[in-house]
Amino acid sequence: MSNAIQVAASILAADFARMGEQVQEAEQGGAGLIHIDVMDGRFVPNLTLGAVMIGAIKRSTKLPLDVHAMIVEPDHLVGDFAKAGASRITVHIEACPNLHRTLQAIKGLGCGAGVALNPHTPASLLSEVIHMVDVMIVMSVNPGFGGQAFLPEVLPKARQLRQMIHDSGRAIDLEIDGGVNTETAPKCVEAGVNVLIAGSSIYNPKFSVKAGIDALKESVSG
Ligand code: DX5
Ligand code: ZN
């Protein structure tokens, strides 16, 4: 199982003045994905970046771009994200009254379609769309900021989603986002997560990005 674990480098914690370099450090350090947090100041209380930055990151790496859209009305923007180079686009179920349509639109753009669940949102809400989902993100913090403490109460939900994925017979990536570090990652993997999204535990001025990724992988290799 642990052989299949990937680290997605969350560039929210990177030095934005050196974004190209920081993305390359993650690629060379063994990350499997670049995780890009789009925030609109409405769905979440923070504002980050959009298609222009996604395009710039696309030119800096060969890794797939895992776009996490923390925005209201994502249907207006998913086309721009796809054109800029997103490989997969994850929307929040709490922001999508017509989730089925939104997922159809993302797939129609040739991208993997993902659904993120906030800490309070139950796994069961995914049951009717699982046949069209490629990515699930379990939020282990309330979205909006990096560097927050991991919420262990979401682990039973990760376990439930892994069971739903198994039952569906589909190859769906189960990602976890927020507070992932060498202490919390083993619990996530034990619950069935196969993609660890990591920001502040790998972009840290005290050690290299590679050292952060290595430590995370090592923590789940047992
Ligand atoms: C939070 C974002 C995360 C964030 C995680 O809303 O979706 O991707 O970068 O940061 P850390 O790993 O520092 O908790
Ligand atoms: Zn994220």
Side-chain angles (χ1 to χ4, degrees), residues 112-123:
V115 182
L117 304 178
N118 273 342
H120 73 282
T121 304

Side-chain angles (χ1 to χ4, degrees), residues 1 10 19 33 37 43 47 52 84 89 124 126 144 146 164 168 173 194 199 204 211:
M1 174 95 193
S10 181
M19 186 55 80
L33 297 157
D37 288 312
F43 180 68
L47 192 59
V52 171
I89 301 173
S124 56
L126 283 185
M164 287 166 67
S168 77
D173 274 327
N194 70 302
N204 183 320

Side-chain angles (χ1 to χ4, degrees), residues 10 12 35-39 68 70 137 139 177-178 197:
S10 181
L12 186 62
H35 180 84
I36 304 175
D37 288 312
V38 179
M39 301 186 189
H68 178 191
M70 284 160 276
I137 299 183
M139 292 308 302
D177 192 7
I197 299 170

